[in-house]
C-alpha cells in the first residue's frame, strides 16, 4: 500500500468506512485500466493518479457518507460514463446488486472489462437510454437507490432517474456547485414524478476543496404512466 492508497483508506475511515487490502487493489486496477483505455477512447479528462483517487474514487464513495449503503440492495447508476459513482460504491459495498445504464456502447465495453478484471459480481451493464429502460418491468419502480453524477440539470435528471426508484426509495443527485437554482427550477418535475427533497448535503473534496452537493430525493409514490417521455424529449423540453 502506498501513500495515495493509504490516504484514500484514511479519508474513508474518517467517515466510518473501512476498506481493506483487496478493495485497495481493486481501486488500483481500476485506475490502471481507466488510464490505459483513456488513450483509446475519451473516458475522463483526469488521469493524474492522485486526482483520480480524489476526484473520482473518493468523490463517488462520498454518497455513502450521507446514505446507509448497508441497507441498499439494488443500486442503479444512470449515465455512468467511466463507472462513477457505481463501480467505486460496488468496490466498497460488495453486497450491492449494481445496474449501470449508459447510452454509449464503447463505455459499456470498458466497464465490462473493469468488472471482469476486478472480479466484481452482481453487476448488470446495459447499453441503452434511461427513457426506454425506465418503462420496462424489472427496472421501473424497482431500485432502493438510484444515482447520477454530473449528468444533466435536475429537472431532466428527475425524469431520467425517478422512474427507476421504488416507492419510498431514494434518488441521489451528485452535483458540484450550489444547486439552489436548479432545485427551484425542478419543483414542477418533483411533483410530476412523485419525488420530495429529503436533504441537501454540501461538502468539499479534500486538498483542493472543490464544492460538492448531494441532493437526496425520496419517492413517495409510483411513477405516473406517462413518464418517462420518449428518448430525447426530457433534454429538449424539461419538466419546468
Amino acid at each position: 500500500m502506498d501513500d495515495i492508497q493509504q490516504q484514500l483508506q484514511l479519508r474513508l475511515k474518517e467517515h466510518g468506512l473501512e476498506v481493506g487490502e483487496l478493495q485497495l487493489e481493486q481501486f488500483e486496477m481500476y485506475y490502471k485500466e481507466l488510464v490505459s483505455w483513456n488513450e483509446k477512447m475519451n473516458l475522463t479528462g483526469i488521469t493524474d493518479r492522485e486526482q483520480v483517487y480524489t476526484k473520482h474514487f473518493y468523490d463517488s464513495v462520498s454518497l455513502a457518507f450521507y446514505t446507509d449503503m448497508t441497507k441498499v440492495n439494488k443500486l442503479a447508476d444512470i449515465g455512468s460514463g467511466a463507472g462513477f459513482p457505481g463501480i467505486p460504491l460496488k468496490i466498497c459495498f460488495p453486497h450491492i446488486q449494481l445496474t449501470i445504464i449508459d447510452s454509449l456502447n464503447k463505455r459499456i465495453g470498458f466497464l465490462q472489462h473493469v468488472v471482469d478484471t476486478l472480479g466484481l459480481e452482481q453487476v448488470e451493464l446495459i447499453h441503452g437510454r434511461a427513457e426506454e429502460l425506465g418503462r420496462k418491468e424489472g427496472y421501473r419502480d424497482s431500485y432502493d437507490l438510484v444515482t447520477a453524477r454530473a449528468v444533466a440539470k435536475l429537472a431532466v435528471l428527475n425524469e431520467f432517474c425517478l422512474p427507476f426508484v421504488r416507492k419510498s426509495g431514494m434518488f441521489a443527485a451528485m452535483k458540484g456547485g450550489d444547486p439552489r437554482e436548479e432545485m427551484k427550477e425542478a419543483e414542477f418535475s418533483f411533483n410530476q414524478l412523485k419525488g420530495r427533497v429529503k436533504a441537501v448535503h454540501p461538502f468539499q473534496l479534500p486538498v483542493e476543496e472543490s464544492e460538492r452537493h448531494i441532493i437526496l430525493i425520496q419517492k413517495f409514490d409510483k411513477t405516473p404512466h406517462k413518464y418517462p417521455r420518449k428518448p430525447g424529449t426530457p433534454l429538449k423540453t424539461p419538466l419546468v
Side-chain angles (χ1 to χ4, degrees):
M1 191 196 310
D2 69 8
D3 288 355
I4 290 173
Q5 289 170 302
Q6 200 172 16
Q7 214 167 44
L8 179 69
Q9 190 180 45
L10 288 169
R11 282 171 180 162
L12 295 180
K13 198 172 183 176
E14 281 169 15
H15 292 276
L17 300 181
E18 299 279 350
V19 292
E21 290 287 336
L22 170 66
Q23 289 154 308
L24 290 170
E25 274 172 38
Q26 288 175 319
F27 276 121
E28 186 58 21
M29 283 191 274
Y30 189 8
Y31 164 71
K32 284 176 178 164
E33 296 305 328
L34 178 71
V35 171
S36 166
W37 280 60
N38 202 54
E39 289 172 11
K40 299 176 273 184
M41 57 188 280
N42 182 27
L43 289 164
T44 177
I46 300 165
T47 53
D48 173 78
R49 186 163 170 259
E50 195 165 0
Q51 298 253 317
V52 169
Y53 268 74
T54 303
K55 290 184 176 177
H56 284 325
F57 298 165
Y58 177 90
D59 190 25
S60 292
V61 180
S62 67
L63 180 53
F65 307 162
Y66 307 105
T67 310
D68 185 354
M69 298 303 288
T70 62
K71 291 181 179 163
V72 173
N73 291 314
K74 292 182 74 181
L75 168 69
D77 181 4
I78 310 297
S80 184
F84 308 119
I87 300 285
L89 286 166
K90 174 70 180 172
I91 290 171
C92 291
F93 301 94
H95 74 278
I96 287 170
Q97 293 173 47
L98 172 65
T99 299
I100 285 181
I101 295 163
D102 200 90
S103 60
L104 199 65
N105 204 25
K106 271 185 180 172
R107 284 198 290 251
I108 293 294
F110 162 71
L111 292 172
Q112 187 62 64
H113 175 75
V114 167
V115 165
D116 295 342
T117 304
L118 273 56
L120 301 176
E121 292 173 358
Q122 290 190 303
V123 180
E124 184 181 18
L125 303 168
I126 304 172
H127 169 230
R129 301 287 294 259
E131 302 99 314
E132 289 171 336
L133 286 152
R135 287 195 156 275
K136 284 192 175 176
E137 201 179 327
Y139 297 99
R140 186 181 182 88
D141 297 313
S142 293
Y143 291 86
D144 304 315
L145 178 65
V146 176
T147 185
R149 179 177 175 257
V151 173
K153 284 199 160 186
L154 200 52
V156 176
L157 277 185
N158 282 337
E159 192 167 355
F160 283 167
C161 298
L162 278 166
F164 290 91
V165 183
R166 66 167 170 79
K167 187 179 170 182
S168 77
M170 202 74 74
F171 162 43
M174 301 179 77
K175 293 281 180 184
D178 190 340
R180 276 179 292 192
E181 206 169 300
E182 264 188 60
M183 286 170 67
K184 204 172 176 191
E185 193 184 65
E187 276 172 13
F188 179 69
S189 68
F190 287 135
N191 290 330
Q192 290 295 300
L193 291 151
K194 313 298 178 194
R196 210 176 268 135
V197 177
K198 195 183 173 199
V200 181
H201 298 285
F203 66 101
Q204 289 182 327
L205 286 185
V207 187
E208 58 157 82
E209 300 180 348
S210 314
E211 258 191 288
R212 293 289 186 271
H213 292 81
I214 290 175
I215 307 162
L216 295 178
I217 298 142
Q218 190 152 38
K219 186 161 159 181
F220 60 85
D221 208 348
K222 287 190 168 185
T223 303
H225 182 70
K226 60 183 172 178
Y227 300 115
R229 293 167 294 166
K230 63 184 185 188
T233 308
L235 269 170
K236 277 185 212 139
T237 52
L239 293 170
V240 289

